[in-house]
């Protein structure tokens, strides 16, 4: 759980309170807090004067608008065919070893969430993963080790 | 057998050119002149569906509404495609120029780039380029502005009407067609939605002329295309090649000497086995592609390939219509149960029929194209799927 404080009001100021402001507002909340709480969605619904069900219905459609608690760093490992052929399995294994969690889980300190995702457009540099918005490609065990250590210190 | 061309590399999309020079010329042209030039070039959409771009602009220009939109489709979600990101990364100004040209042609003042969430890291750089671009077209006297909308991880939002729904703040569920976007698109207004690469092609056509453009490719597939090459190849990456080559030519250039199949056009495309390489033309007259070319060598199990694609569709189907929602699930479960020996091998034939039904009964291109990969893989690699 988190407090949205003035975030939603600020986002409404920036993007407006029309129906088509909904996606940028939800994206803005996720950018800051990594997922959407029920309270946040209800508040957005009030601001845009639409039902909370409409907000939830929209949010739940999109895989990047998580409605379940997520860590500060969301790792999405590509599982589509080329990445899968070029070592996705080792990438997951390495991450699971380092973070001591399985796909779909979040570390107990709330820092990392490990997920799989569909093709993210890096097939020529497979295997690839995304940490929040940043792509990492041509992954090896050593490379993943370095990347995750860096994030552990962020 | 269809006539094929030799493989031929070109360098037009990424060529460093001054958009100001072209836009200055475009400023002096009438909408009809622009549309005529693009029609004459034979340019077809590079996003997958291959609709003639000039026609799209013409229909949109004929609408009487005051508000119209140009949407640049940068959702690029088809497995194996990564060329639009490369284009935006390297020549964003040319994409914006294409949108401005389209705006002038159809009479729109607003352009929107719908960028997939996976490419959000490009946004700061794209915005900086856009600022420069806006300044330039303002000086040239264009009344046109571009903005960005970001996706949130849904393949279906690449489908044009789902993309509009997404911008409008709703679930990305495709609409019924007709009406087509050119008459009722974004916010119900006439909209020309074009792929990133298509827009850059229009810049190339206006710079060099339709005569030059038509000399590339074939009669039905004019021009060149950016291919995204991946899989079992010693040189994965982005290549701009003339359309109309045979798949054999392509494999000779990009294969690893052991290519057994090429998936042309991504998960929504077709799987072509080795025996058909020589007779398969890459282009609208043969097997079309949005650019995705995945090579598989003999070490790969085509069951794994098929299973991966079905898993993809099963997750990415928007679930709005039954043939696709249930069909995707059943195809996936079906091949799994045949593989495990729980269903007879002839059950595959039932699944082929199901995929055919999905083609006619599904609401949008997603459900309609699941059968492409399914049937082409099952037909050509039946043993691998069953045993
Ligand atoms: C499921 C599905 C996904 C699509 N994804 C994309 C995409 O990512 N990019 C794209 O340009 N077109 C995509 N399309 C095609 C668009 O609906 C549309 O035809 C295209 O953007 C038109 O631009 P063009 O004529 O320049 O190709 C998709 C279509 C379907 C059915
Ligand atoms: S075909 Fe599939 S993706 Fe398209 S509308 Fe139907 S359920 Fe949705």
């Amino acid at each position: 759980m988190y407090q949205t404080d003035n975030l939603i009001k600020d986002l409404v100021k920036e993007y407006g309170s029309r129906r088509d402001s909904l996606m940028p507002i939800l994206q803005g909340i996720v950018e800051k807090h990594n997922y959407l709480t029920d309270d946040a969605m209800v508040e957005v619904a009030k601001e845009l004067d639409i039902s909370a069900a409409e907000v939830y219905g929209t949010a739940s459609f999109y895989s990047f608008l998580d409605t379940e608690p997520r860590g500060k760093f969301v790792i999405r490992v590509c599982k589509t065919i080329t990445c899968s052929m070029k070592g996705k399995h080792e990438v997951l294994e390495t991450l699971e070893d380092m973070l001591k969690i399985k796909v779909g889980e979040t570390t107990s300190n709330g820092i990392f969430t490990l997920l799989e995702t569909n093709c993210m457009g890096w097939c020529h540099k497979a295997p690839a993963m995304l940490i929040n918005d940043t792509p990492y490609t041509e992954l090896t065990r050593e490379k993943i080790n370095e990347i995750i250590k860096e994030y552990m210190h962020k | 057998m269809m006539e094929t061309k030799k493989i031929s590399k070109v360098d037009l999309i990424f060529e460093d050119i001054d958009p100001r020079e072209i836009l200055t010329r475009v400023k002096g042209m009438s909408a009809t002149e622009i549309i005529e030039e693009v029609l004459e070039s034979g340019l077809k959409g590079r996003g997958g569906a291959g609709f003639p771009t000039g026609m799209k602009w013409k229909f949109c220009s004929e609408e009487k509404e005051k508000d119209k939109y140009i949407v640049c489709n940068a959702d690029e979600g088809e497995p194996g495609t990564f060329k639009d990101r490369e284009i935006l990364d390297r020549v964003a100004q040319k994409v914006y120029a294409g949108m401005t040209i389209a705006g002038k042609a159809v009479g729109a003042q607003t352009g929107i780039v719908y960028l997939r969430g996976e490419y959000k890291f490009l946004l700061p750089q794209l915005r900086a380029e856009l600022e420069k671009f806006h300044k330039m077209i303002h000086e040239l006297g264009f009344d046109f502005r571009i903005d960005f909308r970001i996706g949130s991880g849904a393949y279906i939002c690449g489908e044009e009407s789902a993309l509009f729904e997404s911008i409008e703040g709703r679930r990305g569920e495709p609409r019924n067609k007709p009406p087509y976007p050119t008459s009722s698109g974004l916010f119900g207004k006439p909209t020309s939605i074009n792929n990133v690469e298509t827009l850059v092609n229009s810049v190339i056509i206006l710079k060099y002329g339709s005569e030059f453009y038509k000399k590339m490719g074939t009669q039905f597939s004019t021009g060149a295309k950016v291919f995204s090459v991946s899989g079992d190849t010693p040189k994965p990456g982005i290549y701009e090649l003339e359309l109309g080559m045979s798949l054999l030519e392509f494999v000779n250039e990009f294969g690893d000497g052991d290519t057994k199949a090429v998936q042309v056009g991504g998960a929504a495309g077709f799987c072509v086995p080795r025996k058909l390489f020589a007779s398969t033309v890459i282009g609208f007259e043969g097997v079309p592609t949005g650019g995705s070319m995945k090579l598989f060598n003999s070490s790969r199990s085509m069951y794994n390939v098929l299973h991966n694609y079905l898993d993809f569709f099963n997750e990415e189907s928007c679930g709005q219509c039954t043939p696709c929602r249930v069909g995707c699930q059943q195809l996936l479960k079906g091949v799994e149960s045949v593989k495990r020996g729980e269903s007879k091998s002839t059950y595959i034939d039932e699944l082929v029929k199901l995929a055919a039904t999905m083609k006619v009964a599904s609401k949008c291109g997603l459900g309609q194209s699941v059968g492409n990969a399914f049937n082409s893989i099952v037909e050509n690699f039946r043993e691998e799927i069953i045993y």
Side-chain angles (χ1 to χ4, degrees):
Chain A
M1 287 297 273
Y2 53 81
Q3 297 299 319
T4 52
D5 298 317
N6 286 323
L7 177 64
I8 292 173
K9 290 216 159 45
D10 290 346
L11 288 167
V12 167
K13 232 177 263 160
E14 184 172 354
Y15 298 111
S17 56
R18 297 180 314 271
R19 177 64 194 246
D20 68 284
S21 316
L22 182 57
M23 289 289 285
I25 291 172
L26 296 179
Q27 287 165 342
I29 302 171
V30 170
E31 186 166 331
K32 182 98 194 282
H33 294 293
N34 312 308
Y35 72 103
L36 300 163
T37 58
D38 290 354
D39 289 350
M41 286 187 277
V42 168
E43 194 185 331
V44 171
K46 272 191 202 133
E47 289 288 337
L48 302 195
D49 197 19
I50 54 180
S51 80
E54 287 274 340
V55 176
Y56 180 76
T58 302
S60 60
F61 185 85
Y62 297 94
S63 64
F64 286 11
L65 298 178
D66 286 306
T67 53
E68 279 168 54
R70 297 292 187 219
K72 184 169 157 204
F73 302 118
V74 180
I75 307 172
R76 294 173 206 270
V77 178
C78 176
K79 64 168 177 171
T80 305
I81 187 70
T82 310
C83 282
S84 152
M85 283 162 38
K86 307 260 162 159
K88 172 216 114 174
H89 191 69
E90 286 79 57
V91 172
L92 276 183
E93 232 173 46
T94 310
L95 288 166
E96 288 178 342
D97 271 0
M98 283 190 85
L99 304 171
K100 311 272 181 288
I101 51 173
K102 297 258 169 255
V103 172
E105 295 177 350
T106 299
T107 52
S108 55
N109 59 5
I111 302 293
F112 293 99
T113 297
L114 182 58
L115 301 173
E116 286 183 310
T117 192
N118 284 324
C119 188
M120 27 188 249
W122 291 101
C123 319
H124 57 322
K125 296 186 174 173
M129 68 178 178
L130 209 56
I131 303 187
N132 290 355
D133 293 336
T134 312
Y136 295 91
T137 60
E138 293 171 298
L139 297 170
T140 58
R141 281 184 196 273
E142 296 72 45
K143 227 167 147 178
I144 296 169
N145 249 294
E146 274 170 40
I147 296 165
I148 295 300
K149 280 201 186 119
E150 220 174 274
Y151 274 89
M152 280 173 171
H153 293 114
K154 274 195 189 177
Chain B
M1 211 170 99
M2 260 180 276
E3 206 186 323
T4 57
K5 295 192 60 120
K6 286 262 169 265
I7 205 160
S8 153
K9 294 187 183 170
V10 297
D11 180 23
L12 289 165
I13 293 278
F14 297 105
E15 189 192 14
D16 189 16
I17 57 162
D18 180 11
R20 179 186 290 265
E21 179 207 310
I22 297 150
L23 288 172
T24 307
R25 203 147 41 77
V26 168
K27 187 77 181 72
M29 291 171 78
S30 71
T32 317
E33 283 170 332
I34 298 171
I35 292 170
E36 281 301 320
E37 194 69 35
V38 175
L39 269 176
E40 191 49 43
S41 74
L43 171 64
K44 290 180 181 156
R46 299 301 197 231
F51 192 80
T53 307
M55 296 284 273
K56 195 182 277 192
W57 290 5
K58 185 163 186 286
F59 293 148
C60 195
S61 75
E62 284 162 357
E63 293 290 327
K64 294 281 176 285
E65 289 255 11
K66 192 171 129 293
D67 292 331
K68 295 182 187 179
Y69 293 99
I70 302 299
V71 174
C72 168
N73 191 339
D75 197 49
E76 190 164 61
E78 191 59 54
T81 328
F82 37 88
K83 46 118 188 155
D84 291 340
R85 184 197 58 239
E86 197 85 2
I87 295 172
L88 284 163
D89 189 14
R90 286 163 60 184
V91 289
Q93 297 266 342
K94 285 167 86 171
V95 179
Y96 304 151
M99 293 176 76
T100 311
I101 293 168
K104 166 114 190 180
V106 312
Q109 273 96 49
T110 309
I112 295 178
V113 180
Y114 187 93
L115 183 72
R116 70 184 304 211
E118 289 84 343
Y119 294 170
K120 197 173 143 204
F121 70 99
L122 280 178
L123 200 56
Q125 154 193 348
L126 292 176
R127 282 202 194 282
E129 288 288 321
L130 182 60
E131 204 174 309
K132 282 190 260 170
F133 184 81
H134 273 155
K135 222 172 124 214
M136 175 186 69
I137 58 170
H138 183 74
E139 283 165 17
L140 292 177
F142 280 95
D143 183 12
F144 191 71
R145 278 197 77 79
I146 297 171
D147 203 355
F148 286 93
R149 287 307 190 99
I150 311 298
S152 270
Y155 165 69
I156 190 60
C157 288
E159 196 281 338
E160 51 198 22
S161 62
L163 189 153
F164 301 149
E165 290 289 309
S166 177
I167 294 181
E168 291 177 21
R170 297 173 215 284
R171 297 166 70 84
E173 291 173 348
R175 301 172 181 170
N176 283 320
K177 287 184 217 170
Y180 292 97
T182 46
S183 60
S184 176
L186 184 60
F187 301 115
K189 303 292 182 192
T191 303
S192 174
I193 175 163
N194 301 98
N195 173 259
V196 173
E197 185 187 352
T198 311
L199 290 162
V200 176
N201 269 288
S202 73
V203 177
I204 294 167
I205 290 160
L206 283 149
K207 179 169 167 73
Y208 294 106
S210 55
E211 282 308 315
F212 165 85
Y213 192 83
K214 274 194 295 192
K215 290 207 188 87
M216 293 182 296
T218 64
Q219 186 191 349
F220 300 103
S221 307
T222 59
K225 170 97 200 64
V226 184
F227 289 88
S228 313
V229 182
S230 70
D232 295 313
T233 164
K235 36 184 180 183
I238 304 270
Y239 299 89
E240 189 177 4
L241 307 169
E242 278 188 54
L243 285 165
M245 73 200 130
S246 77
L247 188 53
L248 185 61
E249 285 265 335
F250 179 88
V251 170
N252 287 342
E253 175 76 22
F254 295 102
D256 62 358
D258 185 27
T259 310
K260 83 166 165 188
V262 181
Q263 180 76 18
V264 183
F270 295 86
C271 182
V272 184
R274 188 184 288 149
K275 64 175 190 281
L276 299 178
F277 287 170
S279 59
T280 299
V281 181
I282 306 301
F284 298 106
E285 64 269 60
V287 182
T289 169
S292 175
M293 304 292 280
K294 280 186 192 252
L295 294 90
F296 300 111
N297 68 21
S298 60
S299 76
R300 305 296 173 189
S301 145
M302 295 312 287
Y303 173 81
N304 287 348
V305 173
L306 178 62
H307 190 275
N308 194 279
Y309 287 155
L310 290 175
D311 183 55
F312 173 83
F313 284 124
N314 195 34
E315 283 188 11
E316 299 293 346
S317 161
C318 83
Q320 188 187 190
C321 70
T322 315
C324 171
R325 181 184 65 245
V326 179
C328 286
Q329 285 167 7
Q330 292 308 316
L331 289 180
L332 182 61
K333 279 195 202 157
V335 295
E336 284 173 349
S337 88
V338 171
K339 193 75 180 175
R340 283 197 301 260
E342 289 162 11
S343 299
K344 277 198 232 140
S345 61
T346 48
Y347 186 54
I348 291 282
D349 303 314
E350 297 300 313
L351 297 176
V352 167
K353 279 189 225 157
L354 171 60
T357 306
M358 289 169 70
K359 196 172 199 73
V360 290
S362 294
K363 182 167 173 176
C364 86
L366 189 151
Q368 288 160 9
S369 55
V370 173
N372 295 348
F374 189 86
N375 290 352
S376 57
I377 293 177
V378 166
E379 234 165 68
N380 294 300
F381 299 97
R382 197 180 168 97
E383 297 76 36
E384 287 188 42
I385 304 306
I386 296 171
Y387 302 109

